Amino acid sequence: MTQSIRDSIYDEIASIRLIDPHTHIDPHAPASSTLADILGYHYYTELAHSAGMPKDQIEEPGIGPRELVKRLALNLQPIENTANYRWLIELCRKFFGFQHDRINASNWESLYDSAESKMARADWSQMVLDQSNVESVFLTNDFDDDLEGFDSNTYIPCLRTDDLVFHLAKSSVQERLVGCSGIELDGSLASLRSSLHQRFEHFVGRGARACAISIPPTFVPTPVSDGRAASALTQVLKQGELADVAHRDALSRRVFWTLAELCDEFGLPFDLMIGVNRGVYPGGVYQGQDLYDSRVSLTQYRELFNAFPNVKFPVSVLASVTNQELVSHAWIFPNVITNGHWWYSNTPSFIARDAMARLEAVPQNKQIAYYSDAYKLEFVWPKFDMYRNVLADLLAEHFVGRCGWNEERAVELGRRILRDNVDEIFPARD
Amino acid sequence: MTQSIRDSIYDEIASIRLIDPHTHIDPHAPASSTLADILGYHYYTELAHSAGMPKDQIEEPGIGPRELVKRLALNLQPIENTANYRWLIELCRKFFGFQHDRINASNWESLYDSAESKMARADWSQMVLDQSNVESVFLTNDFDDDLEGFDSNTYIPCLRTDDLVFHLAKSSVQERLVGCSGIELDGSLASLRSSLHQRFEHFVGRGARACAISIPPTFVPTPVSDGRAASALTQVLKQGELADVAHRDALSRRVFWTLAELCDEFGLPFDLMIGVNRGVYPGGVYQGQDLYDSRVSLTQYRELFNAFPNVKFPVSVLASVTNQELVSHAWIFPNVITNGHWWYSNTPSFIARDAMARLEAVPQNKQIAYYSDAYKLEFVWPKFDMYRNVLADLLAEHFVGRCGWNEERAVELGRRILRDNVDEIFPARD
Amino acid sequence: MTQSIRDSIYDEIASIRLIDPHTHIDPHAPASSTLADILGYHYYTELAHSAGMPKDQIEEPGIGPRELVKRLALNLQPIENTANYRWLIELCRKFFGFQHDRINASNWESLYDSAESKMARADWSQMVLDQSNVESVFLTNDFDDDLEGFDSNTYIPCLRTDDLVFHLAKSSVQERLVGCSGIELDGSLASLRSSLHQRFEHFVGRGARACAISIPPTFVPTPVSDGRAASALTQVLKQGELADVAHRDALSRRVFWTLAELCDEFGLPFDLMIGVNRGVYPGGVYQGQDLYDSRVSLTQYRELFNAFPNVKFPVSVLASVTNQELVSHAWIFPNVITNGHWWYSNTPSFIARDAMARLEAVPQNKQIAYYSDAYKLEFVWPKFDMYRNVLADLLAEHFVGRCGWNEERAVELGRRILRDNVDEIFPARD
Ligand SMILES: [Zn+2]
Ligand SMILES: [Zn+2]
Ligand SMILES: [Zn+2]
């Protein structure tokens, strides 16, 4: 394999117009308005904090965006080696005309100003999408989102269900569910199911193409009998978060199972993002407090995968050690799909090893290469580009270099997992 | 390191005549008779099914071999990226004069015909062995196999003991044991041991060179006292599969321990294949239903390894994450031997990382490089060749490139683990 | 990236004068006096034993150094492939003028003699340090070490606390603690704390720069209430090792927590070496009996990391599978620091993957690249050099090749983790 073949493959796959199948973009403010939206991303705040910057300097109440950017810019030196820092530099160079390879005291302010003036353009979001070669992005919508006021062809709704499964004991969540569904939780399982059903109708009616959830490593989804579920629901409605953990857990499993049934009924894929422990470091910055226990197994999901053969489960795993189990499950279960490189596994060396294991063992029509998980549009491009650089290496080294494929065939595989599978696994309704 | 050194190392190790230390070859029909024997291998049926082909199209009763090949051939496109597909193409090119790099509607039938005519030759099995540069293969024989009617120098018996350890509660297994050993299970531990002893005599007398078993991740082999074992045996003989799980488990551990004692007595290595969960996806195709829980540890075997210092334990692990524990155990336990790259870890990227970890840490006389696990002889060559390609890379990059070895020394290491260790660890009797 | 850039980076980082932040050097006999001190290192005895050499040949009472070297030298051939063997050859070539690439019957004796004559020089230790480009090394001192009779600028004390945490039930340990601290253990928690406090004063007063402990995978450090701790202490003082395991465990956790409090008070980093199971193979050679269970999680330490935000915890993990958890914890916890490549993970392929994961995700000021763990000074250089070779590859391939850094910037990162962080994380007192 020569470098030129690798670069040529990279160029080809970089020209593929993307749909980003998982983001946290706010469709009402999809792009950034100042550099503080960029540098305020948890990756920079948590890494700067980890490297020594006190949390109260980062999260001081009332601090303005320029001051926040200044403070962070002066604390980035220790994280220059990270992949996350590289996203930052690359997006500043691509979108804001930044010419340097480091952000520091000498240049942060001019960068701030040039970014601000670009972001002020009315068509900035669309410019970012176009420069990023991105057609549309999936959102992460709360279950009570009205999904109004944006173009759902570009910003594709996705029903996020963490609150329903894991926080239904909170009265605030119950009230939101009643409020948005218009269905009273009268204590019956039927009312609970009806309210969830109503939410699926709402979301699918407004173009949703997936249901999604993030799950702690201890969760084992299994069906809960009507009797057990009814008593759990009764206790949780009565006692809220004070209800016994056994009741809350039974209700979680019941709601989860009901969601899977509704995915089946409505033909929605169910994105499972497996492994996160929330709030492990409560003293950390906003969104910089979660970790995981890598001792999780997809065997916990065997009953689910068997019970719903017609539901597609795009699965993300938080720890790279779980990737082989994911590969093996996608290898034999028709409804298990490998999905992206998530969070702590979203750095080049983990991507390289996890992606290669998938490419050599999982049918190519069951691999969703990547999603950005971005909160602001500017991050879609550098994250996908990190992935594409790894993918170009793997396609060139393994498929061209070792398997003797020609370039065209390697690029076809890239296109299949980067774009075609998103179209086919999450089909748009008409 | 230059490519030419790597290729030269590859050529040298490819010229080593092999003994394949673990297969599922049927010595009465070692090679294929039609392409359906090739494409019917579970790797192709399970991957085609996973990619979308309904099970009932694959396993339709009464379907002929040509029709099965046609159906599968038209469903292979989604799995072209897999290592398993590459085995298929490479063996078709080597053995059947196939000229293409894909099997599809335009060429499957001529491939079928040319394969069929080759396979019809009376000496086809020997031709495959010769073209594969393979001297002999180990079998996987049921404990009640009469081991008659084949040349045990080429097809080397191996006593497979899963049924004895994990299924002795089934009356069918008890009957088979009584029938083949001629020893009545009268409820005493002595009768059980005698029947097992008789089986070892039978196998060793007919040239067996190993005892083997595959083991679920939950199994912890520990000795069971005579009293406990006797009551477990009594209950299992009385109640069969309805016996309490504690009794069945105690009996499993007792039988396992007795097998280890008999390996010690008869000087047979005991192949442990650790980690498989059977029937995880019961809706899957034949042999495409098994997975694993990667949360297994070799620490579960510490008592066994300590109790039998004179028994050699070639150990295979199903999940790559267990490979480091295997390396470390083989590093200090004289009787623990690394054995091959099993099943879901038998793809190039896992082989590369697992093999490298062994090569740099385990004494070279304690590594069995590879086995094919093949059901038909045609697969021995492409599987070993996948391994040899990885090994040539590692020998060239690490030992020549980084450690400064010359080619000859690197090839010697390759020969040691590919062939010499098989001869020494599983010695032939005279 | 060209080979010349990689080699140039290697040369630059090899010129950095080192402080080795963890060894088991005896400051009263830091270097070897015969080759038996080299070949008697547990790596060679355990690997030779694993490869087939009986333990009683290695540990025969009264055997002289020349005879031991002879026996081992004749049994090294099977371990020539190991990284450990490579350390041996490289140090013999560097320090003793050895010209060959194998030690065998034809050359061991002349090597023995030339080594012996070199080692006989009065300034041998300092020569080894100088030739190794090493300024000083951290020790591993028993809690009752008087720390007298050596230069603590070169040989830096470190308080090792395994005995206190895990073996305080032994009367010998209690007696040692009373003896060295001069404080009677009168059954009160206050007396226990006072004796530990006295040890910290002693160590810090003599230049200690770290507290350290190795920990089994099952240990979960959590605070123990005064009441519970008092009853545990009472029982352990009364019954010693016969005390109930629940009492001994509670006392272990109490002592551990107290040590963390004292690290906080005295400003000492607390090195955690997580994962070792002692005595798994009791029939093994000296120091060749320990293994691990890779099913350990840093989530077991969450309460500790949260409770002591001002204590720096340089963390080593025994199994590579735990490295990603370590990376992720160091990514968000300001007080978690990645520390070296320990024992069974201290071979090139594990170092490469674990180091790369750290380099791309952990702030550069929170990575301690490496320590030698050496028992004799001669091993510091070959072990660090193995690491430096891997690091040079990673810096050249990733940071120069993929990220576009120049050489100088890559070398700066190397210097930061190899040397600067040791100075900053373990500051010397004046
Ligand atoms: Zn997300
Ligand atoms: Zn097998
Ligand atoms: Zn140590």
Side-chain angles (χ1 to χ4, degrees):
Chain A
M1 194 239 343
T2 65
Q3 186 65 18
S4 69
I5 290 173
R6 184 264 172 217
D7 290 346
S8 166
I9 289 173
Y10 169 80
D11 290 342
E12 290 282 345
I13 62 176
S15 75
I16 298 167
R17 194 155 175 81
L18 295 170
I19 295 175
D20 185 340
H22 173 67
T23 78
H24 295 262
I25 299 289
D26 174 0
H28 308 291
S32 303
S33 52
T34 73
L35 206 59
D37 290 334
I38 302 285
L39 274 173
Y41 196 12
H42 69 83
Y43 288 110
Y44 306 108
T45 56
E46 76 200 11
L47 282 166
H49 173 55
S50 174
M53 190 177 180
K55 175 182 174 177
D56 57 14
Q57 284 189 25
I58 300 167
E59 300 190 344
E60 186 179 320
I63 186 177
R66 185 177 294 265
E67 175 64 16
L68 177 63
V69 168
K70 177 183 177 182
R71 291 184 187 180
L72 285 166
L74 302 183
N75 281 281
L76 293 177
Q77 193 277 333
I79 72 166
E80 286 184 1
N81 56 299
T82 64
N84 317 82
Y85 184 84
R86 201 174 163 213
W87 305 337
L88 174 66
I89 297 299
E90 303 231 326
L91 80 85
C92 288
R93 294 170 66 100
K94 181 174 186 82
F95 295 119
F96 311 131
F98 190 62
Q99 306 273 343
H100 310 280
D101 50 12
R102 292 169 144 148
I103 297 175
N104 57 29
S106 76
N107 58 33
W108 74 266
E109 195 149 20
S110 63
L111 173 62
Y112 187 94
D113 292 334
S114 65
E116 193 171 35
S117 71
K118 297 249 189 183
M119 291 164 176
R121 295 181 55 146
D123 59 349
W124 178 241
S125 294
Q126 193 56 47
M127 283 182 67
V128 174
L129 284 171
D130 290 345
Q131 287 183 45
S132 303
N133 204 11
V134 171
E135 186 173 306
S136 55
V137 300
F138 281 48
L139 307 176
T140 292
N141 304 94
D142 284 338
F143 68 85
D144 55 342
D145 193 316
D146 63 13
L147 305 175
E148 300 286 353
F150 59 86
D151 171 10
S152 67
N153 288 313
T154 304
Y155 300 103
I156 299 163
C158 169
L159 171 59
R160 183 69 171 234
T161 59
D162 299 42
D163 284 347
L164 295 168
V165 172
F166 297 113
H167 303 296
L168 195 54
K170 294 180 183 169
S171 59
S172 60
V173 175
Q174 295 168 22
E175 287 160 16
R176 286 166 55 207
L177 180 57
V178 169
C180 67
S181 69
I183 292 169
E184 210 57 44
L185 288 178
D186 62 8
S188 70
L189 294 173
S191 66
L192 175 59
R193 187 185 182 90
S194 293
S195 65
L196 298 174
H197 192 276
Q198 196 279 339
R199 290 289 85 197
F200 271 71
E201 285 183 328
H202 170 71
F203 268 78
V204 170
R206 277 157 186 79
R209 288 166 65 176
C211 178
I213 188 168
S214 74
I215 306 174
T218 50
F219 189 66
V220 180
T222 47
V224 177
S225 71
D226 285 355
R228 179 73 194 84
S231 65
L233 179 59
T234 300
Q235 289 305 313
V236 167
L237 289 178
K238 188 184 297 177
Q239 303 190 280
E241 297 179 83
L242 299 176
D244 192 273
V245 69
H247 287 307
R248 284 182 286 135
D249 177 61
L251 186 60
S252 284
R253 288 182 289 117
R254 174 68 175 214
V255 171
F256 183 90
W257 207 260
T258 304
L259 293 174
E261 290 169 349
L262 292 167
C263 284
D264 199 4
E265 179 180 338
F266 285 88
L268 274 194
F270 197 175
D271 288 348
L272 307 179
M273 312 186 82
I274 296 172
V276 63
N277 277 330
R278 302 289 180 185
V280 171
Y281 172 39
V285 299
Y286 175 66
Q287 294 187 330
Q289 308 178 359
D290 306 334
L291 280 161
Y292 55 91
D293 182 334
S294 59
R295 296 169 303 182
V296 64
S297 175
L298 293 188
T299 207
Q300 300 168 207
Y301 292 80
R302 60 194 286 178
E303 196 161 352
L304 179 74
F305 297 149
N306 278 299
F308 296 97
N310 296 316
V311 175
K312 291 168 186 165
F313 293 101
V315 175
S316 299
V317 292
L318 194 43
S320 175
V321 62
T322 320
N323 185 65
Q324 191 183 12
E325 281 197 8
L326 175 54
V327 166
S328 304
H329 280 71
W331 174 329
I332 73 165
F333 273 107
N335 54 342
V336 176
I337 292 158
T338 62
N339 192 17
H341 299 272
W342 189 30
W343 203 341
Y344 292 112
S345 289
N346 186 25
T347 59
S349 74
F350 288 118
I351 293 172
R353 104 177 53 149
D354 294 345
M356 191 62 236
R358 297 175 190 180
L359 288 169
E360 71 193 10
V362 177
Q364 60 180 289
N365 61 344
K366 296 179 61 201
Q367 302 187 39
I368 298 168
Y370 196 73
Y371 52 78
S372 75
D373 223 354
Y375 284 75
K376 288 293 177 186
L377 285 181
E378 290 87 349
F379 282 99
V380 177
W381 176 79
K383 289 179 146 191
F384 263 96
D385 208 53
M386 171 181 66
Y387 175 80
R388 279 186 299 237
N389 271 289
V390 174
L391 180 62
D393 287 346
L394 300 179
L395 292 173
E397 284 167 23
H398 182 74
F399 291 99
V400 177
R402 294 204 193 94
C403 301
W405 288 19
N406 60 27
E407 244 183 83
E408 188 189 354
R409 192 173 176 184
V411 170
E412 271 311 301
L413 176 57
R415 185 187 316 279
R416 160 59 56 188
I417 64 173
L418 272 166
R419 172 63 198 251
D420 297 348
N421 287 343
V422 177
D423 291 326
E424 292 179 13
I425 291 167
F426 305 103
R429 315 300 169 104
D430 33 31
Chain B
M1 196 245 334
T2 64
Q3 186 66 20
S4 70
I5 290 174
R6 183 264 173 219
D7 289 346
S8 165
I9 289 173
Y10 169 80
D11 290 342
E12 289 283 345
I13 62 176
S15 76
I16 298 167
R17 193 154 176 81
L18 297 170
I19 295 175
D20 186 338
H22 174 65
T23 78
H24 296 262
I25 298 290
D26 174 1
H28 308 291
S32 302
S33 52
T34 74
L35 206 58
D37 290 335
I38 303 285
L39 274 173
Y41 196 12
H42 70 82
Y43 288 110
Y44 307 108
T45 56
E46 76 199 12
L47 282 166
H49 173 56
S50 174
M53 190 177 178
K55 177 182 173 175
D56 57 14
Q57 283 189 26
I58 300 167
E59 300 189 345
E60 186 181 320
I63 187 177
R66 187 178 293 264
E67 175 63 18
L68 177 64
V69 168
K70 177 182 177 182
R71 290 183 188 179
L72 285 166
L74 301 183
N75 281 280
L76 294 178
Q77 192 279 332
I79 71 166
E80 285 184 2
N81 55 299
T82 64
N84 318 82
Y85 184 84
R86 201 176 163 210
W87 304 337
L88 175 65
I89 297 299
E90 304 232 325
L91 80 85
C92 289
R93 293 170 67 101
K94 182 176 185 79
F95 295 118
F96 311 131
F98 190 61
Q99 305 274 343
H100 310 281
D101 50 13
R102 293 168 144 149
I103 297 174
N104 57 29
S106 76
N107 59 33
W108 74 266
E109 196 150 19
S110 63
L111 173 62
Y112 186 93
D113 292 335
S114 66
E116 193 171 34
S117 72
K118 298 247 188 186
M119 292 163 176
R121 296 181 54 145
D123 60 347
W124 179 242
S125 295
Q126 194 54 49
M127 284 183 65
V128 173
L129 285 171
D130 290 345
Q131 288 184 44
S132 302
N133 204 10
V134 171
E135 185 173 306
S136 55
V137 301
F138 280 48
L139 308 176
T140 293
N141 303 95
D142 285 338
F143 68 83
D144 55 343
D145 194 318
D146 63 11
L147 306 176
E148 301 286 354
F150 59 86
D151 171 8
S152 67
N153 288 314
T154 304
Y155 300 103
I156 299 163
C158 170
L159 171 59
R160 182 70 170 234
T161 58
D162 300 44
D163 284 346
L164 294 168
V165 173
F166 297 113
H167 303 295
L168 195 55
K170 295 181 184 169
S171 58
S172 60
V173 175
Q174 294 167 21
E175 287 160 15
R176 287 167 52 207
L177 180 57
V178 170
C180 68
S181 70
I183 292 169
E184 210 56 44
L185 290 178
D186 62 8
S188 70
L189 293 173
S191 66
L192 176 60
R193 188 187 182 88
S194 292
S195 65
L196 298 174
H197 193 276
Q198 196 278 340
R199 290 290 83 198
F200 271 71
E201 285 182 329
H202 170 71
F203 269 78
V204 171
R206 278 159 185 77
R209 289 166 64 176
C211 178
I213 188 168
S214 74
I215 306 175
T218 50
F219 189 67
V220 181
T222 48
V224 177
S225 71
D226 286 354
R228 179 72 194 86
S231 65
L233 179 60
T234 300
Q235 289 305 312
V236 167
L237 289 178
K238 189 183 297 178
Q239 302 190 280
E241 295 178 84
L242 299 175
D244 193 273
V245 68
H247 286 307
R248 283 182 288 135
D249 178 60
L251 186 59
S252 285
R253 288 183 288 116
R254 174 67 177 214
V255 172
F256 183 89
W257 207 260
T258 303
L259 294 173
E261 291 169 349
L262 292 168
C263 284
D264 199 4
E265 178 179 338
F266 285 88
L268 274 193
F270 197 175
D271 288 349
L272 307 180
M273 312 186 81
I274 296 172
V276 62
N277 277 330
R278 302 289 178 184
V280 171
Y281 172 39
V285 298
Y286 176 66
Q287 294 187 331
Q289 308 179 0
D290 306 334
L291 281 160
Y292 55 92
D293 181 335
S294 59
R295 296 170 302 182
V296 64
S297 175
L298 293 189
T299 207
Q300 300 168 206
Y301 291 80
R302 60 195 285 178
E303 197 161 352
L304 179 74
F305 297 149
N306 279 298
F308 296 97
N310 296 316
V311 175
K312 292 169 185 165
F313 293 102
V315 175
S316 299
V317 293
L318 194 42
S320 175
V321 62
T322 319
N323 185 65
Q324 192 183 11
E325 280 197 7
L326 175 54
V327 165
S328 304
H329 281 70
W331 174 329
I332 73 165
F333 273 107
N335 54 340
V336 176
I337 292 158
T338 61
N339 191 17
H341 299 272
W342 189 30
W343 203 340
Y344 292 113
S345 289
N346 186 25
T347 59
S349 74
F350 288 119
I351 293 172
R353 105 178 50 150
D354 295 346
M356 192 61 236
R358 297 175 190 180
L359 287 169
E360 72 193 9
V362 177
Q364 60 181 289
N365 61 344
K366 296 180 61 200
Q367 304 186 38
I368 298 167
Y370 196 72
Y371 52 78
S372 75
D373 223 353
Y375 284 75
K376 289 293 177 185
L377 285 182
E378 289 87 350
F379 282 100
V380 176
W381 175 79
K383 290 179 145 191
F384 263 97
D385 208 53
M386 171 181 67
Y387 175 81
R388 278 186 300 236
N389 271 288
V390 174
L391 180 61
D393 287 347
L394 301 178
L395 292 173
E397 284 167 22
H398 182 73
F399 291 100
V400 177
R402 296 205 191 93
C403 301
W405 288 18
N406 59 27
E407 244 183 81
E408 187 189 353
R409 192 172 176 185
V411 170
E412 270 311 301
L413 176 55
R415 185 188 315 280
R416 161 57 59 189
I417 65 173
L418 272 165
R419 172 62 200 252
D420 298 349
N421 287 344
V422 177
D423 291 326
E424 292 179 14
I425 292 167
F426 306 102
R429 316 299 169 103
D430 33 33
Chain C
M1 195 245 334
T2 64
Q3 186 65 20
S4 69
I5 291 174
R6 184 263 173 220
D7 290 346
S8 165
I9 289 173
Y10 169 81
D11 290 342
E12 290 283 345
I13 62 176
S15 75
I16 298 166
R17 193 155 175 80
L18 296 171
I19 296 175
D20 186 338
H22 173 66
T23 77
H24 296 261
I25 299 288
D26 174 0
H28 308 290
S32 303
S33 51
T34 73
L35 205 58
D37 290 334
I38 303 286
L39 274 173
Y41 197 11
H42 70 83
Y43 288 110
Y44 306 110
T45 56
E46 75 201 12
L47 282 165
H49 173 56
S50 174
M53 191 177 178
K55 176 181 174 176
D56 58 14
Q57 283 189 26
I58 300 168
E59 300 189 344
E60 185 180 321
I63 188 176
R66 186 178 293 264
E67 174 63 18
L68 176 63
V69 168
K70 176 183 177 182
R71 290 184 188 180
L72 285 165
L74 301 184
N75 281 280
L76 294 177
Q77 191 278 331
I79 72 165
E80 286 184 1
N81 55 298
T82 64
N84 318 82
Y85 184 85
R86 200 174 164 212
W87 305 337
L88 175 65
I89 297 300
E90 304 230 326
L91 80 84
C92 288
R93 294 169 65 100
K94 182 175 186 82
F95 296 119
F96 311 131
F98 190 61
Q99 306 273 344
H100 310 281
D101 50 13
R102 294 168 143 146
I103 297 174
N104 56 30
S106 76
N107 58 33
W108 75 266
E109 196 149 19
S110 64
L111 173 61
Y112 187 95
D113 292 335
S114 65
E116 194 171 34
S117 72
K118 297 248 188 185
M119 291 165 175
R121 296 180 55 145
D123 60 349
W124 177 242
S125 294
Q126 194 55 49
M127 283 183 66
V128 174
L129 284 170
D130 291 344
Q131 287 184 45
S132 303
N133 203 11
V134 171
E135 185 173 307
S136 55
V137 301
F138 281 48
L139 308 175
T140 292
N141 303 94
D142 284 338
F143 67 85
D144 55 343
D145 193 317
D146 63 12
L147 307 175
E148 301 285 355
F150 58 87
D151 171 9
S152 67
N153 288 314
T154 304
Y155 300 103
I156 299 163
C158 169
L159 172 58
R160 183 70 170 231
T161 58
D162 299 43
D163 284 347
L164 295 167
V165 172
F166 298 112
H167 302 295
L168 194 54
K170 293 181 184 169
S171 59
S172 61
V173 175
Q174 295 167 21
E175 287 160 16
R176 288 167 52 206
L177 180 56
V178 170
C180 67
S181 70
I183 293 169
E184 210 56 44
L185 288 179
D186 62 8
S188 70
L189 293 172
S191 67
L192 175 59
R193 186 185 183 90
S194 292
S195 65
L196 298 174
H197 192 276
Q198 195 278 339
R199 290 290 84 198
F200 271 72
E201 285 182 329
H202 170 70
F203 269 77
V204 170
R206 277 158 187 77
R209 289 167 63 177
C211 179
I213 188 169
S214 74
I215 307 174
T218 50
F219 189 67
V220 181
T222 48
V224 176
S225 71
D226 285 355
R228 179 73 193 86
S231 64
L233 179 60
T234 301
Q235 289 304 314
V236 167
L237 289 178
K238 188 183 300 178
Q239 301 191 281
E241 295 178 84
L242 298 176
D244 192 273
V245 69
H247 287 306
R248 283 182 285 136
D249 177 61
L251 186 59
S252 284
R253 287 183 289 117
R254 175 67 175 216
V255 171
F256 183 90
W257 208 260
T258 304
L259 293 173
E261 290 169 349
L262 292 167
C263 285
D264 198 6
E265 179 180 338
F266 286 87
L268 273 195
F270 197 174
D271 289 348
L272 308 179
M273 312 186 81
I274 296 171
V276 63
N277 277 330
R278 302 288 180 186
V280 172
Y281 172 39
V285 299
Y286 177 65
Q287 293 186 331
Q289 308 179 359
D290 306 333
L291 281 161
Y292 54 91
D293 181 335
S294 60
R295 295 168 304 182
V296 63
S297 174
L298 292 188
T299 207
Q300 299 167 208
Y301 292 79
R302 60 194 286 178
E303 196 160 353
L304 179 75
F305 297 148
N306 278 298
F308 297 97
N310 296 317
V311 175
K312 292 170 186 165
F313 293 101
V315 175
S316 298
V317 292
L318 193 42
S320 175
V321 63
T322 319
N323 186 64
Q324 192 182 11
E325 281 197 7
L326 175 54
V327 166
S328 303
H329 280 71
W331 174 330
I332 73 165
F333 273 107
N335 54 341
V336 176
I337 292 158
T338 61
N339 191 17
H341 299 272
W342 190 29
W343 202 340
Y344 292 113
S345 289
N346 186 25
T347 59
S349 74
F350 288 119
I351 293 172
R353 101 177 56 147
D354 294 346
M356 190 63 237
R358 297 175 191 180
L359 288 169
E360 71 193 9
V362 177
Q364 60 181 289
N365 60 345
K366 295 180 62 201
Q367 303 186 39
I368 298 167
Y370 196 72
Y371 51 79
S372 76
D373 223 353
Y375 284 74
K376 288 293 177 185
L377 285 181
E378 290 87 349
F379 282 99
V380 176
W381 176 79
K383 290 179 146 192
F384 264 96
D385 208 52
M386 172 181 67
Y387 174 81
R388 280 185 299 237
N389 271 288
V390 174
L391 180 62
D393 288 345
L394 301 179
L395 292 173
E397 284 167 22
H398 182 73
F399 292 100
V400 177
R402 297 205 191 92
C403 301
W405 288 18
N406 59 27
E407 243 181 83
E408 188 189 352
R409 191 172 176 186
V411 170
E412 271 311 301
L413 176 56
R415 185 187 316 278
R416 160 57 58 188
I417 64 173
L418 271 165
R419 171 64 199 251
D420 298 348
N421 287 344
V422 177
D423 290 326
E424 293 181 12
I425 291 167
F426 306 101
R429 316 300 170 103
D430 34 32

